[in-house]
Amino acid sequence: MPAADLTTAPDPTPDPTTLGELRNGGHVHKPVKVELRDNLLARLAAGEATFPGILGFDDTVLPEVERALLAGHDLVLLGERGQGKTRLVRTFVGLLDAWTPVVAGCEINDHPYAPVCVRCARLVAAQGDETPVAWKHRSERYGEKLATPDTSVGDLIGDVDPIKVVKAKEGRTLGDPETIHYGLVPRTNRGIFSVNELPDLAERIQVALLNVLEERDIQVRGYTLRLPLDLLVVASANPEDYTNRGRIITPLKDRFGAEVRTHYPLRLEDELSVIRQEAVLDWPGTPVQVPDHLMEVIARFTRLVRDSPQVDQRSGVSARFAVAATETVAASAVRRAAVTGEPVAVARVCDLPSVVPASRGKVEFEAAEEGRELEVLAHLLRKATADTFRARLGGLDLSGLQGRFAQGATVETGDLVPAVDLLKGLGPVPGLAALLTRLGVEQESPGLAAAALEFALEGLHLNRRLAKDSVSGRTVYGG
């Protein structure tokens, strides 16, 4: 998460170490949802980003989430894979106070003013103002569970711990509440608990969450036990109209105060912002550059795949598709640099075809397209390149470049052809400066010049203004 300052601990731990010192310091106990509401309102009033690092949701999803948190509602996020649901939920942590006090050694983070477990209630009653206090950073107040069919009630809520019974010096019985091993939900008390892919949780296990969401307590086997939990519960799920893996039971759905639908980036600019934020292009020891026009090709390619009738629209095409494609293109450029000795790896159009086989497994196709997956992806990639060419270079005079091939001349390129060889094959190109300016290249280098010229050559070919022949990884323009 880019906003690392929300989860790290730059400020020193607060001073109070006992209940008495905490009271004398004027500390005020606030429930988690009040804490979230107060900090969210403060950010809104200050004009600060409420959920840093979340892109493309500003006018759609985020206002709904903000209203849900201000209302104190537990919420469920519904959306196809790769829409940033989990990323969004994890940013909620940044709305918690930086530090919060807990009874030292408590398994469920009891507040010293209002202990709820038997152990802490006895400790506060016995030691009073001398009760030891510890501090938890907000990064420790978030719990997450990926729902799987083998998840048990014990995992979420808790179960009897025979070891505690055996080791107890007081001769505890199975009916003693202190023999419980708490599950993930109570261990996230006074924090945020997230369940990812909630429909995958068996229906009988979902029932165990009913009391957590409504009565705010838990039940463990036959214990007479009531723990008034203080937490925000957030769940994520794929829309039920297509998932075959399960459903959210109606009583549980009814207990969530808000349902928020997520979506893929609506604008090309948002798709590009996600790529720039998420793609890992920092290669140790090997500088690598992916020019903006190639990132735009990948962003358009992703959107075309997402909208293609040959692709199963119910499964969606994740934002990770574009991120992985960008990293694959960068890897192709690094491979070329390693083989040819180029000092800086710069991605070019010749690196784009590597995306097609690498991305096939990230897309679900309609049954009628079986065996044609690579053909469909390659066609959409060519269309994305042509669309980007028209958007970036439409109206630009490329007659100087095209004139290099007027007498049947050719130039060879490919994923192992270094930039200097491509430039040498083309020779001086009239209008190169205008081409680089259109593509936003500010500091000219052989790699960036070659990337711009190769993009222009491919665009001319796709618009049927230049011949092209590809054989065994080598591409020849002209002739």
Side-chain angles (χ1 to χ4, degrees), residues 221-241:
R221 293 190 181 272
Y223 281 84
T224 304
L225 173 67
R226 183 177 185 277
L227 294 179
L229 299 178
D230 175 22
L231 74 169
L232 173 76
V233 180
V234 187
S236 69
N238 293 325
E240 292 184 63
D241 57 351

Side-chain angles (χ1 to χ4, degrees), residues 29-148:
H29 174 212
K30 291 190 291 187
V32 165
K33 291 182 177 179
V34 174
E35 196 177 315
L36 291 166
R37 181 190 301 129
D38 290 349
N39 292 330
L40 175 56
L41 286 172
R43 283 205 190 173
L44 290 170
E48 299 175 356
T50 50
F51 306 101
I54 302 302
L55 304 171
F57 287 171
D58 291 352
D59 301 321
T60 53
V61 176
L62 297 190
E64 293 187 39
V65 172
E66 289 165 359
R67 285 190 284 268
L69 294 179
L70 292 174
H73 289 161
D74 299 301
L75 65 153
V76 57
L77 300 176
L78 291 184
E80 284 85 4
R81 59 181 178 173
Q83 290 185 347
K85 299 186 294 294
T86 301
R87 168 66 67 88
L88 174 58
V89 174
R90 288 175 180 174
T91 63
F92 291 5
V93 177
L95 294 174
L96 295 169
D97 291 342
W99 295 97
T100 194
V102 298
V103 177
C106 182
E107 293 182 78
I108 61 171
N109 310 317
D110 275 354
H111 193 284
Y113 289 1
V116 296
C117 73
V118 173
R119 178 255 182 194
C120 291
R122 291 172 178 169
L123 183 65
V124 172
Q127 299 192 17
D129 284 351
E130 297 304 314
T131 303
V133 169
W135 292 87
K136 285 223 167 195
H137 188 252
R138 57 186 159 204
S139 59
E140 302 176 279
R141 298 171 62 193
Y142 175 78
E144 187 175 284
K145 179 70 174 82
L146 175 62
T148 54

Side-chain angles (χ1 to χ4, degrees), residues 389-411:
F389 174 80
R390 285 189 286 270
R392 289 266 182 163
L393 301 180
L396 181 66
D397 182 11
L398 293 174
S399 58
L401 176 61
Q402 197 169 358
R404 307 292 299 172
F405 305 92
Q407 303 302 320
T410 62
V411 63

Side-chain angles (χ1 to χ4, degrees), residues 67-316:
R67 285 190 284 268
L69 294 179
L70 292 174
H73 289 161
D74 299 301
L75 65 153
V76 57
L77 300 176
L78 291 184
E80 284 85 4
R81 59 181 178 173
Q83 290 185 347
K85 299 186 294 294
T86 301
R87 168 66 67 88
L88 174 58
V89 174
R90 288 175 180 174
T91 63
F92 291 5
V93 177
L95 294 174
L96 295 169
D97 291 342
W99 295 97
T100 194
V102 298
V103 177
C106 182
E107 293 182 78
I108 61 171
N109 310 317
D110 275 354
H111 193 284
Y113 289 1
V116 296
C117 73
V118 173
R119 178 255 182 194
C120 291
R122 291 172 178 169
L123 183 65
V124 172
Q127 299 192 17
D129 284 351
E130 297 304 314
T131 303
V133 169
W135 292 87
K136 285 223 167 195
H137 188 252
R138 57 186 159 204
S139 59
E140 302 176 279
R141 298 171 62 193
Y142 175 78
E144 187 175 284
K145 179 70 174 82
L146 175 62
T148 54
D150 63 342
T151 301
S152 68
V153 174
D155 294 334
L156 292 176
I157 306 301
D159 207 340
V160 174
D161 187 348
I163 303 300
K164 288 185 178 181
V165 178
V166 172
K167 290 185 176 181
K169 297 179 180 179
E170 299 86 356
R172 293 175 188 154
T173 65
L174 286 175
D176 192 319
E178 291 195 60
T179 62
I180 293 175
H181 173 77
Y182 293 108
L184 290 171
V185 174
R187 287 179 183 273
T188 318
N189 183 37
R190 301 188 54 235
I192 300 169
F193 183 73
S194 170
V195 184
N196 289 333
E197 308 300 341
L198 182 57
D200 286 353
L201 205 61
E203 295 183 10
R204 63 184 182 83
I205 309 302
Q206 291 184 37
V207 172
L209 296 175
L210 295 180
N211 268 38
V212 173
L213 285 166
E214 185 65 26
E215 287 79 14
R216 319 307 300 187
D217 62 16
I218 62 170
Q219 298 175 359
V220 178
R221 293 190 181 272
Y223 281 84
T224 304
L225 173 67
R226 183 177 185 277
L227 294 179
L229 299 178
D230 175 22
L231 74 169
L232 173 76
V233 180
V234 187
S236 69
N238 293 325
E240 292 184 63
D241 57 351
Y242 75 79
T243 182
N244 295 318
R245 298 172 301 182
R247 67 185 185 92
I248 304 176
I249 61 175
T250 303
L252 183 59
K253 229 177 156 184
D254 180 57
R255 280 165 165 77
F256 283 103
E259 177 181 293
V260 178
R261 291 275 178 153
T262 59
H263 55 75
Y264 293 116
L266 300 178
R267 303 179 304 165
L268 178 64
E269 293 77 10
D270 294 331
E271 198 90 54
L272 282 165
S273 296
V274 171
I275 293 174
R276 293 189 182 104
Q277 176 176 285
E278 299 298 321
V280 179
L281 303 178
D282 185 15
W283 292 70
T286 306
V288 58
Q289 295 176 304
V290 180
D292 286 348
H293 64 271
L294 285 190
M295 284 194 183
E296 184 171 330
V297 170
I298 293 170
R300 290 180 183 274
F301 175 48
T302 303
R303 296 169 75 80
L304 288 172
V305 174
R306 200 172 283 150
D307 296 335
S308 172
Q310 287 94 0
V311 172
D312 183 0
Q313 300 300 312
R314 297 171 298 176
S315 67

